[in-house]
């Protein structure tokens, strides 16, 4: 049985939950309470020296980094494919996922927010402006990428979701938490609407996996 060390509101964990659900793979979740700094406990650092979630235990080994985990899932459980086989489509799907996973999320996550506040003295307003700015940059580029792609939707990946949808939907959840305006991104909202209606995405939602849910 796979064991996902995760935090209910972690968007990187949410990506992996979506991918596991899309693949129909059974797993158990273990909550790592980030606000209590459990990610920095010796126990979790032994799983992931970065002190981050998600971490996926697979047959005595631990996989980290959500993109690497989704890639592993695609190799281990090939259907449905989340990273397309066609080389051009593969590069495009990974590029969309990386807009979120490499260029938006890493500068908005908990440790960066804490650093901005505790080391650089940023106010709550300044932190919110920072978050909204980098999300808007990323969403704006993704919207253009979605518009110029061959796929007709509703997902970024087309009729079926791909890895970029696994990355986008959690980031939109974050955006809504921080009241980031989303009206300028109709194609991203179309993917979100399709995800709301999709059982694999719905079951991965933070409200569904929250400790008190
Ligand atoms: N690039 C990593 C990012 C992981 C990450 O930033 N996880 C966040 C939660 S979404 C975390 O564990 N934060 C804890 C902290 O910042 O102290 C991935 O994709 O897995």
């Amino acid at each position: 049985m796979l064991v996902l060390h995760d935090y209910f509101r972690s968007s990187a964990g949410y990506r992996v939950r979506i991918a596991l659900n899309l693949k129909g793979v059974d797993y158990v979740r273990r909550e790592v309470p980030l606000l209590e700094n459990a990610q920095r406990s010796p126990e979790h650092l032994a799983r992931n020296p970065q002190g981050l979630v998600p971490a996926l235990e697979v047959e005595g080994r631990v996989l980290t980094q959500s993109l690497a985990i989704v890639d592993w899932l695609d190799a281990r459980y090939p259907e449905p494919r989340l990273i397309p086989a066609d080389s051009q489509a593969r590069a495009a799907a990974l590029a969309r996922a990386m807009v979120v996973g490499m260029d938006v999320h890493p500068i908005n996550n908990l440790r960066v927010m804490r650093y901005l506040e505790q080391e650089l003295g940023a106010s709550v307003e300044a932190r919110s402006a920072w978050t909204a700015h980098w999300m808007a940059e990323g969403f704006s580029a993704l919207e253009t990428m979605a518009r110029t792609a061959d796929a007709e939707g509703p997902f970024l990946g087309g009729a079926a979701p791909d890895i970029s949808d696994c990355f986008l939907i959690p980031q939109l959840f974050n955006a809504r938490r921080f009241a980031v305006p989303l009206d300028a991104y109709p194609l991203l909202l179309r993917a979100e609407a399709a995800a709301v209606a999709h059982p694999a995405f719905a079951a991965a939602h933070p409200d569904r996996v929250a400790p008190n849910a």
Side-chain angles (χ1 to χ4, degrees):
M1 176 67 81
L2 303 182
V3 181
L4 180 64
H5 299 271
D6 184 19
Y7 175 65
F8 74 109
R9 271 204 301 243
S10 157
S11 60
Y14 188 179
R15 297 168 193 160
V16 173
R17 298 197 299 265
I18 296 167
L20 285 160
N21 294 347
L22 285 168
K23 301 277 185 190
V25 177
D26 276 342
Y27 68 99
V28 291
R29 280 187 73 250
R30 300 263 188 271
E31 191 74 2
V32 180
L34 298 190
L35 299 183
E36 295 165 25
N37 273 331
Q39 69 276 31
R40 297 255 145 222
S41 66
E43 195 188 359
H44 190 72
L45 286 171
R47 286 182 209 116
N48 182 357
Q50 281 194 289
L52 299 171
V53 295
L56 184 69
E57 259 180 66
V58 179
E59 293 152 11
R61 297 206 173 187
V62 183
L63 309 181
T64 61
Q65 286 289 349
S66 58
L67 196 145
I69 296 172
V70 175
D71 182 51
W72 176 82
L73 283 170
D74 237 22
R76 175 70 181 75
Y77 307 96
E79 295 300 328
R81 282 199 81 96
L82 297 177
I83 304 175
D86 172 79
S87 59
Q88 290 272 359
R90 175 187 176 84
L94 287 171
R96 289 192 299 269
M98 287 180 187
V99 170
V100 172
M102 311 296 163
D103 296 330
V104 173
H105 174 266
I107 44 178
N108 284 335
N109 72 5
L110 180 62
R111 60 183 178 165
V112 171
M113 289 299 143
R114 281 180 168 160
Y115 191 87
L116 286 172
E117 181 189 336
Q118 293 165 6
E119 305 296 325
L120 303 181
S123 63
V124 173
E125 294 73 29
R127 276 172 33 202
S128 300
W130 168 283
T131 303
H133 173 79
W134 297 115
M135 284 204 212
E137 283 239 332
F139 288 149
S140 174
L142 259 186
E143 180 72 18
T144 304
M145 291 160 89
R147 200 168 50 241
T148 51
D150 294 335
E152 303 223 325
F155 291 102
L156 296 182
D162 71 10
I163 186 171
S164 62
D165 295 289
C166 299
F167 277 58
L168 171 68
I169 299 307
Q171 195 60 49
L172 289 174
F173 169 79
N174 280 352
R176 292 188 184 283
R177 270 186 73 208
F178 291 98
V180 174
L182 297 173
D183 292 348
Y185 319 116
L187 297 182
L188 306 190
L189 294 178
R190 181 177 70 174
E192 185 186 43
V196 166
H198 194 303
F201 284 83
H205 192 280
D207 292 348
R208 290 278 293 275
V209 303
N212 300 323

